[in-house]
Amino acid sequence: MMRFAVSDRDLDVASLRRELHNPDHGGFCAFEGWVRHTNEGRDVGGLEYEVYAELAQVEGERIMQEARERFGAIDAVGIHRSGMLRIGEMAVWVGVSSAHRDEAFRACRFIIDQIKHRLPVWKKEHYLEGDTAWVACAHHGEDHDHTHHHRHHRAPAGFVPDYSRQKRLPGVGEAGQEKLARARVLVIGAGGLGSPVLAYLAGAGVGLLGISDDDRIDASNLHRQTLFTAADTGRLKAEVAAERIAAVNPSVRTELFGRIAPDEAVALFRRFDLVVECSDDMSSRFLCSDAATMSGTALILASVHQYEGQLQVIDPRAGGPCLRCLWPAEPAPDAAASCAESGVLGPVPGILGTMQANEALKRLLGLPGQAPDRLLLVDLLDNRTDQLRIDAENGCASRGGCVAMAERAMAARGGDSLERRFSTLGAARAAGYRLVDVRQEDERAAWPMPEAVHVPLPVLLESGAALPAEGPLLLVCASGRRSARGAQHMRDSGRADVFTLPGGLQGLSE
Amino acid sequence: MITVELRYYAQLREQAGTGGERVSTDAETPAALYDTLRLRHGFSLPRDALKIAVNTAFCSWETRLRDGDVVVFVPPVNGG
Ligand SMILES: [Zn+2]
């Protein structure tokens, strides 16, 4: 049972709970969100929830599906109220049942956090002083402790975008416009490259733009970061960018993130169709390349220096080369100069960012684009370009492959989880993992895993050398408990490319 | 003696004071060629901080150079 709904009636908790009874489940956890009396210091008499129902339904079901992928065999129900509510009434209910309590707690927390961050819901607060105000619900993250903040910005009513000039193009049309409206693009860095990327993707009507940036606007940015004005100095770039996007095209939704943590990157990338890397930070570029490789998400990279720029499109699903195929390890800081040290002419990031926006739109529309096996160099002094073919055979392929390289780098960042979630064993193999069955011999007869190497947990704990030398390895058992112990043991003994399938065979969807 | 066309990007352009030049050289590989260019232009980057491309494809520093080759030196670039 996985269900999400929007309801305009009082929530009947007893019957919601009954839906989650399951003879295999021994744990149940629920969260209730209630209307509070005060908000940001003002007394509230009641409030009115406005829900964009069609979108909320789709996004809500997507959240439930993601919970299943993350936490395995769970049953879950999420309901959000719409309409008028009084103080103390229940605005949202999430319930999860599972075999054990841990998954129930974690999945419940995940679902309510995602609902609060992602659902298109606005509340109109009726203040006791008689006035009212509309507030985007995601601004009220009082019950989450995420290191980054997510915020949705709301479209004012009454504006209808006119895409006639781009829909007229052969290769776009009504169908292309719908593709853009459904697309989710994450833009990392809202600076010189990010300004044109965000402006053009917003204008084109891309449905959801994620913006990651924790930097504030400085007067020295204004010669190249065209989204901002002198009045914005000191403000957060991501927030101002979201306001400018809403001003260009109020039908575009935005979701804001701070700096992306390594252990969140892969899951975050999976939520987007495409990521555009526009930061001025070499370690962010490598993190993005690794997360794109591990999640199978396409990535458009660019960087600039003085009067020139570089552009690379990474297409992991097509087996194309990654950033590490070019630069196996992150270059030393002094080997790559930054805008602050070397200077940059304003239009240079403008041109490269515009090219990134162009590549992003073409990709979403299924049009031809920058060849993923080439690095484009653009020299904007004499306007010369070089397309250099990346030597993929001597890149990651000679070091275990892009996925293995990304895995190792991600593990070396430290914050990386031991867990690798897949809904099928085939998906794990397709992602480059070698499967290792850590169950006992007698269990294997009942549920064979012919594609896996067999190393029972006691053998592994006695000597890690019993495992295949070539990683990355995914340890699998019935419930995920023994495989987690094995993976932890290997991490403790210094091997970084051994992971566990949480939920084990019981959590798979096959 | 062969003649090759060189292109410099990023810090190399800055330090050479030009985006490219045509040189005649005894160097048989990009590695040997870069060593002589480092002396002439005072390039600060060591070879392993760079990528080398010959005739529009990235390749090994030990690739054999031929007369008329276009050799591109590419440092990593960081700005955004
Ligand atoms: Zn690679």
Side-chain angles (χ1 to χ4, degrees), chain A residues 322 325 396 402:
Chain A
C322 72
C325 285
C396 298
C402 296

PDB file of all heavy atoms in Angstrom, chain A residues 322 325 396 402, ligand 1:
ATOM      1  N   CYS A 322      33.548  10.923 -18.393  1.00  0.00           N
ATOM      2  CA  CYS A 322      33.230  11.848 -17.308  1.00  0.00           C
ATOM      3  C   CYS A 322      34.379  12.837 -17.140  1.00  0.00           C
ATOM      4  O   CYS A 322      35.350  12.822 -17.899  1.00  0.00           O
ATOM      5  CB  CYS A 322      32.968  11.075 -16.018  1.00  0.00           C
ATOM      6  SG  CYS A 322      34.441  10.356 -15.278  1.00  0.00           S
ATOM      7  N   CYS A 325      37.672  11.173 -16.662  1.00  0.00           N
ATOM      8  CA  CYS A 325      38.325  10.604 -17.844  1.00  0.00           C
ATOM      9  C   CYS A 325      39.370  11.587 -18.372  1.00  0.00           C
ATOM     10  O   CYS A 325      40.346  11.198 -19.000  1.00  0.00           O
ATOM     11  CB  CYS A 325      37.301  10.315 -18.939  1.00  0.00           C
ATOM     12  SG  CYS A 325      36.290   8.861 -18.613  1.00  0.00           S
ATOM     13  N   CYS A 396      39.091   6.845 -17.436  1.00  0.00           N
ATOM     14  CA  CYS A 396      38.629   5.945 -16.373  1.00  0.00           C
ATOM     15  C   CYS A 396      38.659   4.479 -16.808  1.00  0.00           C
ATOM     16  O   CYS A 396      38.847   3.592 -15.980  1.00  0.00           O
ATOM     17  CB  CYS A 396      37.207   6.304 -15.952  1.00  0.00           C
ATOM     18  SG  CYS A 396      37.055   7.948 -15.274  1.00  0.00           S
ATOM     19  N   CYS A 402      34.286   4.544 -15.153  1.00  0.00           N
ATOM     20  CA  CYS A 402      33.848   5.811 -14.562  1.00  0.00           C
ATOM     21  C   CYS A 402      33.111   5.584 -13.235  1.00  0.00           C
ATOM     22  O   CYS A 402      33.318   6.335 -12.277  1.00  0.00           O
ATOM     23  CB  CYS A 402      32.929   6.572 -15.525  1.00  0.00           C
ATOM     24  SG  CYS A 402      33.742   7.083 -17.050  1.00  0.00           S
TER      25      CYS A 402
HETATM   26 ZN    ZN C   1      35.279   8.682 -16.547  1.00  0.00          ZN
END
